[in-house]
Amino acid sequence: MFNKTNTPRPAAQPIPPLPDLPTAGRSVSAPTPAPSPVASSRGLSTLSSDLSFEGVISGAGDLQVDGAIKGDVRVGRLIVGETGAIEGNVAADYLEVRGRIVGAVTGKQVKLISTAYLDGDITAEQLSIDVGAYFQGRVLQSRRDVPASAPPARPAPAPVAPEPAPQVIEMKPV
């Protein structure tokens, strides 16, 4: 019925090992975490969960806070991780809060993720608050600033006509 022929098979090619599997003489390193979607080419600075900082932080770069900060923070982009806590005012173009902030927040885009705790006022162009996030304070929607080179147009004042000189009319009895 079935006839098995003995044809020679080509020599098996070795299969290279997968990068995450250990091989003899090679150690496995921990997988590198995927870069944050907000991390830019400048890199993301991180304050890890076992660190605390007291003072003012400012700069144009990106910062992830997993530790504790007592003081004001002003950066380009800020992510407050679930273990992160900031006690002070925060200003950033992009702000994602997963942890705790006690203080006023100002930004172009502010996101409160479901694990966020924010006690303070928010001033933002765009704001999103996930279900489960805690927020106590006021929200003010800011508007994009008009460039200084183009001041807002004002209506020109109406030209004022000079008052005519009073005319003297003599009336004579008839």
Side-chain angles (χ1 to χ4, degrees):
M1 185 171 232
F2 294 102
N3 193 3
K4 191 174 187 182
T5 60
N6 289 337
T7 57
R9 292 175 127 186
Q13 302 239 343
I15 300 173
L18 295 174
D20 60 342
L21 296 177
T23 59
R26 192 175 99 174
S27 64
V28 176
S29 61
T32 58
S36 171
V38 296
S40 67
S41 61
R42 295 176 288 199
L44 179 69
S45 299
T46 303
L47 183 72
S48 64
S49 60
D50 57 343
L51 295 176
S52 62
F53 180 85
E54 191 167 331
V56 175
I57 296 177
S58 64
D62 303 342
L63 176 64
Q64 177 161 345
V65 176
D66 293 323
I69 295 176
K70 252 189 185 179
D72 295 344
V73 177
R74 183 177 196 90
V75 293
R77 294 176 180 226
L78 176 66
I79 300 172
V80 180
E82 290 185 18
T83 60
I86 298 176
E87 189 176 323
N89 296 329
V90 174
D93 289 339
Y94 174 86
L95 174 63
E96 182 177 299
V97 182
R98 296 175 182 273
R100 179 182 183 93
I101 295 179
V102 177
V105 168
T106 303
K108 289 182 182 175
Q109 185 178 4
V110 177
K111 292 183 178 185
L112 301 182
I113 308 302
S114 63
T115 56
Y117 176 98
L118 193 138
D119 187 357
D121 295 344
I122 298 175
T123 303
E125 288 180 23
Q126 297 176 4
L127 172 65
S128 70
I129 302 176
D130 287 355
V131 174
Y134 174 84
F135 167 64
Q136 176 72 39
R138 295 179 300 165
V139 175
L140 301 168
Q141 183 178 15
S142 67
R143 299 180 192 248
R144 293 180 192 251
D145 294 336
V146 177
S149 61
R154 290 186 180 178
V160 178
E163 289 187 26
Q167 294 181 351
V168 178
I169 300 175
E170 287 186 37
M171 301 193 79
K172 295 181 185 180
V174 238

